Amino acid sequence: MKKRSTARRFAKALISIAREEGAVQKFRDELTLTNAVFAKTPELYKVLLNPVYTAQEKNNLLNKLSSSLSLAKYTERFLAMLVETRNIGLLPEITSCYQRLEDELSGRIRVTVEAPHEIAGPVLEEIKKKISEETGKEAILEARLNTTLIGGMVLRIDNTLLDGSLKKQLELLREKIAEGAA
């Protein structure tokens, strides 16, 4: 929980700077790219968090990384601050929080649609349209295959779960029958 709130504070600070600079999307893209590099090479975290390496060695590594990724000066400074405060391990959470904050600013909402089979394009478009109408925000859908479902769909909208799966309906029916038998 503490990690999440710390990550959110860092993301808020960065998005504040990004708004001033008019580069909210650019910063998100750079954070996402940097996060992907760190995910593919976890050794970077180990080096940047290891007290055996001097601050100068860590800065040199960050400078090389920043120049190879063509990062903006603010993004580079932000990463240096994360290393200096030993919070570079929070980069995935910070990236996620930043994306949510950017979505809020842009009037978007991210929705995960789970189904036991591939969902056809027109069905996804209809779901997207309905969610956009209900929330007043642009819905960005991510379709996932969930083979544990028997039928129906499960929608995740932020912290809200809408479970219209056949599995859930059968569980509810089982509970009702058990209540009636008792």
Side-chain angles (χ1 to χ4, degrees):
M1 187 69 162
K2 185 175 189 277
K3 285 173 66 173
R4 190 76 176 160
S5 64
T6 303
R8 185 163 171 82
R9 280 196 314 267
F10 277 117
K12 277 183 162 182
L14 186 61
I15 206 161
S16 174
I17 294 167
R19 288 178 72 184
E20 288 176 16
E21 294 296 311
V24 174
Q25 186 174 351
K26 179 179 175 27
F27 281 25
R28 186 212 54 219
D29 293 344
E30 290 183 354
L31 266 182
T32 303
L33 176 63
T34 305
N35 191 43
V37 169
F38 273 86
K40 288 183 182 174
T41 52
E43 299 82 27
L44 284 171
Y45 285 123
K46 291 177 184 171
V47 170
L48 294 173
L49 288 170
N50 193 332
V52 171
Y53 297 99
T54 66
Q56 185 60 43
E57 290 171 319
K58 293 175 185 180
N59 284 333
N60 289 341
L61 178 61
L62 265 182
N63 289 337
K64 287 178 185 175
L65 177 67
S66 295
S67 65
S68 69
L69 297 177
S70 302
L71 299 179
K73 189 185 311 180
Y74 285 110
T75 308
E76 185 176 346
R77 286 185 195 160
F78 181 73
L79 293 173
M81 183 192 58
L82 290 178
V83 170
E84 185 179 315
T85 59
R86 301 187 50 82
N87 285 303
I88 193 68
L90 293 176
L91 188 60
E93 289 89 358
I94 292 169
T95 304
S96 175
C97 287
Y98 186 96
Q99 185 178 42
R100 269 195 221 93
L101 290 169
E102 184 199 7
D103 286 345
E104 287 174 21
L105 287 173
S106 302
R108 291 188 303 252
I109 190 166
R110 294 193 183 268
V111 180
T112 304
V113 181
E114 294 180 8
H117 52 78
E118 291 293 323
I119 305 170
V123 174
L124 282 175
E125 284 303 313
E126 185 64 28
I127 293 169
K128 183 177 181 177
K129 180 181 169 192
K130 293 274 189 201
I131 291 171
S132 293
E133 288 172 359
E134 291 295 320
T135 62
K137 296 180 179 182
E138 175 192 356
I140 299 172
L141 299 184
E142 177 188 350
R144 290 187 185 164
L145 192 62
N146 184 343
T147 56
T148 64
L149 298 177
I150 302 167
M153 290 181 207
V154 176
L155 300 177
R156 295 178 197 279
I157 306 170
D158 286 334
N159 293 328
T160 305
L161 179 71
L162 303 173
D163 194 340
S165 67
L166 185 57
K167 181 179 176 182
K168 182 66 175 179
Q169 300 305 316
L170 290 173
E171 287 173 9
L172 292 172
L173 184 61
R174 182 181 320 127
E175 288 174 14
K176 285 182 181 180
I177 291 171
E179 285 175 9

